[in-house]
Amino acid sequence: MIQLIAADLDGTLLDSKKQLSPDLFPLIRTLAQRGIRFAAASGRQYHNLRALFCEIADQMLFIAENGAAVYDGDNCLFADQIPFSYFVGPIEAVRRLDGVNVILCTADGAFIEATDDPVFMQNAQMYYKKLSVVPDLLALLEHQPAFKLAVFEPGHAETGCFPVLQAYRNQFAVVLSGADWVDLMRPQTNKGAALHRLADYLHIPASQTMAFGDYLNDYELLSEAGCAYAMDNGHPDLKRIADHIAPSNDENGVVRAIRAHLQL
């Protein structure tokens, strides 16, 4: 019996126009009536996720920042912290790369340095609702604990900044989070670990969890879940470990798969 469902956002719950299905909120309410909790599991900031689901946010769980911060409604269950010194190398490395920008993620919001890059600003504002510009991220870190570094390189993250950032794998999990994004987090941090902690929090076995994802930052999430769905539009490596393939994000795949699996 499924008691907890976790679903990624971009490429999974959100269609290619970045819209949620109108069928999703009624489904989440139906699940809640049956005692099944629903978690949005994303690389996005908690404040961004809560705004997207504001109508039903108090009924939901949120795995934010690829597992670095987890909430039950507005209650923070846990949030990672990474030593200041760890961030110095990767931030300085990104500053040396053309066309690459970085976002520092904290419990108090996200921070960037001033830039005239409109594509980066558009994406930063899309994924981080609580976003501030500061003169120097390293100076900010001296008094602002952080739990993630999000690195943005439009269209070329996998072949561009991702190989460069491998130099910091001793300190961080370096995760390809999409075609444009690389996330640096604590090595133990990922969506799968967060799902495990949520299952413990809810006192349910992992076998009674279900998860949906489309990209490599969902790999641990699907590996941890008792029932794993990769989206039809998903990365081939994710499809290889999934128990099932859901219809694509443009075909209301998550809602359709849940309804079919649970016979709703």
Side-chain angles (χ1 to χ4, degrees):
M1 174 184 175
I2 299 298
Q3 295 191 58
L4 171 61
I5 300 174
D8 170 56
L9 262 289
D10 296 276
T12 301
L13 283 175
L14 293 170
D15 64 19
S16 57
K17 296 179 180 179
K18 300 296 183 181
Q19 295 177 339
L20 292 169
S21 166
D23 301 324
L24 181 62
F25 287 10
L27 175 62
I28 292 173
R29 291 189 180 100
T30 298
L31 293 171
Q33 291 169 0
R34 295 176 177 232
I36 302 171
R37 299 297 306 272
F38 188 90
S42 176
R44 293 181 180 230
Q45 179 189 59
Y46 165 71
H47 307 284
N48 180 289
L49 295 176
R50 187 169 180 88
L52 276 172
F53 291 93
C54 60
E55 185 180 323
I56 55 169
D58 291 339
Q59 301 178 39
M60 290 183 57
L61 301 157
F62 297 99
I63 297 173
E65 310 280 9
N66 278 328
V70 178
Y71 292 76
D72 185 349
D74 61 1
N75 178 34
C76 182
L77 301 179
F78 57 87
D80 291 341
Q81 288 191 6
I82 298 173
F84 157 73
S85 61
Y86 286 20
F87 289 101
V88 176
I91 288 176
E92 291 182 340
V94 170
R95 286 171 172 170
R96 294 191 291 268
L97 300 175
D98 291 335
V100 184
N101 288 278
V102 65
I103 302 175
L104 184 70
C105 307
T106 82
D108 292 329
F111 298 88
I112 61 173
E113 295 176 345
T115 176
D116 57 2
D117 184 336
V119 176
F120 171 62
M121 288 304 301
Q122 179 185 6
N123 279 269
Q125 291 165 352
M126 180 191 309
Y127 295 116
Y128 295 89
K129 183 175 178 62
K130 193 173 181 181
L131 181 71
S132 302
V133 179
V134 297
D136 184 350
L137 291 178
L138 293 177
L140 174 74
L141 273 164
E142 292 179 4
H143 56 83
Q144 175 68 65
F147 49 61
K148 192 182 84 173
L149 203 64
V151 182
F152 179 77
E153 184 174 7
H156 304 290
E158 186 168 5
T159 56
C161 62
F162 184 59
V164 174
L165 293 167
Q166 297 302 309
Y168 303 99
R169 292 193 73 91
N170 288 339
Q171 297 167 316
F172 292 97
V174 181
V175 180
L176 191 65
S177 192
D180 306 328
W181 294 96
V182 176
D183 287 340
L184 279 70
M185 305 173 292
R186 288 176 65 247
Q188 303 89 348
T189 297
N190 56 66
K191 294 182 187 180
L195 181 67
H196 183 91
R197 293 177 76 172
L198 268 183
D200 287 346
Y201 164 74
L202 297 170
H203 305 292
I204 65 174
S207 61
Q208 295 181 6
T209 64
M210 176 186 288
F212 294 83
D214 75 301
Y215 215 77
L216 296 182
N217 61 325
D218 301 314
Y219 194 95
E220 292 87 357
L221 179 69
L222 267 61
S223 298
E224 177 67 28
C227 180
Y229 279 85
M231 307 305 291
D232 189 55
N233 54 288
H235 195 287
D237 289 348
L238 201 68
K239 290 181 177 181
R240 278 192 277 272
I241 67 161
D243 301 309
H244 310 282
I245 304 299
S248 79
N249 62 323
D250 283 328
E251 299 174 293
N252 202 14
V254 173
V255 171
R256 289 171 59 190
I258 291 173
R259 284 176 173 169
H261 193 102
L262 300 181
Q263 300 182 337
L264 297 176

